Amino acid sequence: MSTIKDVTVPDIGDFKNIPVIEILVKPGDSVAADTPLLTLESEKATLEVPAPFAGTVVELLVAVGGTVSEGTRIARIEAAATEQPSQALPVPGDQLIEEPPPAIAASAGSAAEAVPPPNLPALSLEGESAPAHASPSVRQFARELGIEIGLVNGSGPKGRILREDLLGFVKSRSATASEGTGAVGPNLPPWPQVDFAKFGAIERVPLSRLRRISGPNLARNWVTIPHVTNFDEADVTDLEAFRLKINREGAQGDAKVTMLAFLLKAATVSLKAFPEFNASLDGEDLILKRYYHLGFAADTPNGLVVPVIRDANRKGIRDIAREMAVLAEQARQGKLKPTDMQGGCFSISSLGGIGGTGFTPIINAPEVAILGAARARTKPLWDGAQFQPRLSLPLSLSWDHRVLDGAAAGRFLNHLCGLMSDFRRILL
Ligand code: CAO
């Protein structure tokens, strides 16, 4: 015969009027003895109140946001006929909750198949691959971050997982799949520790502030964005002749027009034609931008910065060249304002003034593509009847394969090369 019994908050020490932050069951749920029913969180600790016996939840008597103290009635549970009372006390956040051993989680194909062993909390089958030691609030934070807590190494006492460990895990997470879980985890060996001085003279030089800031951002972009790079070449023979002409015609003090100014302008037109390149990924949505703010990578003594030319689509080539010269100079002097580097939709990295035949630029998140330009060279190009000396500009387009695909990238580059080969197409 089964009976309905009230469940009250047991002895929770000095805590009083503690807010309920999470209800973990609902009426109709079957619970084992010790299944966590709700989570309380005071300023100092997080506690889970477990079911004192096995049975079926009939009614919940508290809601998220309510407060409870020792003795507060929180639920009514119809006790199972053979229920064994639990010895469990609520688990304060300062203590550890030990997750079930991996064999249990791994052998269960689904939550429904899982049978919690006696005297262990009911399984939270999130695919944990190792026993996790963590307070309820840390486990909740892990759920919010979508992290499988069993994959995180704890740095606290006895390997306890701390909030900082979760944040560190997110930062270092690579696309490597964790065996058996299908989940992603770092799974990387530690950084090689080498005593370089053993092999010869060395000098230790601290990274510049700029590199310390940009390095982790570049690493994040490289690790988290599935990059693919397409290559193409634009015949810029006529454009180069035009560029030289307008530079000769330019007034005293006019900024020199370089190929990059044309590339920036042409990119705005291609972005208009292929709006999915002028976008950012936001969860499962794509944010399509109706503005055209273009960044360009600028080399400075302290490292790389990416100033942004706003509304480049509305500006003429000379305006773009002038603005680029000002921003590049400010970048070199370390005088760019944060706002000068914000709001970019798409970036261009030009190494044309320096050299090289091509490179694979890293996407500047949250943008979805970046264009690289290498040094233009005169090459013999077959015109159908004979070879002609033509100036060829090597271009590379790195793009985010979560958002774009190779065909789209090929079309984008075709379009851009077409514009650069005959700049009159800009007017079309
Ligand atoms: N092919 C051939 N020549 C090129 C060229 C190209 N693709 N691009 C520029 N040039 C020429 C210019 O015409 C100029 O020649 P002249 O002095 O004879 O007129 C010379 O190279 C120098 O140009 P520049 O570099 O001063 O000007 P820019 O507009 O091309 O670039 C800026 C400006 C700020 C982008 C550049 O100075 C710079 O910092 N580039 C480095 C970007 C970078 O580091 N990218 C890598 C990022 S990943 O680490």
Side-chain angles (χ1 to χ4, degrees), residues 243 256 258 260 297-299 304 324 349-353 374-376 393:
R243 185 185 79 82
K256 186 174 61 187
T258 61
L260 184 52
D299 183 36
L304 185 72
M324 223 166 55
S349 176
S350 173
L351 287 173
R375 190 168 194 82
L393 174 67

Side-chain angles (χ1 to χ4, degrees), residues 211 218 236 240 243-244 247 256-261 263-264 296-300 303-307 321 324-325 327-329 331-332 348-356 359-362 370 373-377 391-395:
R211 282 196 201 282
L218 289 165
V236 291
E240 176 66 0
R243 185 185 79 82
L244 294 174
N247 275 336
K256 186 174 61 187
V257 175
T258 61
M259 208 41 91
L260 184 52
L263 268 179
L264 276 157
F296 65 96
D299 183 36
T300 79
L304 185 72
V305 287
V306 186
M324 223 166 55
L327 287 168
E329 185 51 30
R332 283 189 277 270
I348 302 184
S349 176
S350 173
L351 287 173
I354 298 169
F359 63 104
T360 55
I362 297 180
I370 182 169
R375 190 168 194 82
R377 282 190 171 82
L391 187 64
S392 178
L393 174 67
L395 297 172

Side-chain angles (χ1 to χ4, degrees), residues 3 7 21 43 54 122 135 148 164 185-186 207 228 262 272 302 305-306 333 335-336 340 380 392 403:
T3 45
V7 177
I21 60 160
E43 280 168 16
S135 69
E148 294 175 358
E164 298 75 62
L207 287 178
V228 184
F262 288 104
K272 234 178 224 175
N302 288 322
V305 287
V306 186
Q333 292 179 7
K335 290 188 176 159
L336 282 180
D340 293 329
S392 178
V403 176

Side-chain angles (χ1 to χ4, degrees), residues 249-311:
E249 289 169 2
Q252 188 81 20
D254 268 356
K256 186 174 61 187
V257 175
T258 61
M259 208 41 91
L260 184 52
F262 288 104
L263 268 179
L264 276 157
K265 186 72 187 171
T268 63
V269 177
S270 294
L271 290 171
K272 234 178 224 175
F274 298 90
E276 69 273 25
F277 284 79
N278 190 19
S280 285
L281 198 55
D282 184 23
E284 294 187 344
D285 293 332
L286 201 55
I287 309 291
L288 296 173
K289 294 157 199 170
R290 305 287 184 227
Y291 52 85
Y292 301 85
H293 303 336
L294 265 60
F296 65 96
D299 183 36
T300 79
N302 288 322
L304 185 72
V305 287
V306 186
V308 172
I309 297 191
R310 284 175 193 278
D311 299 310

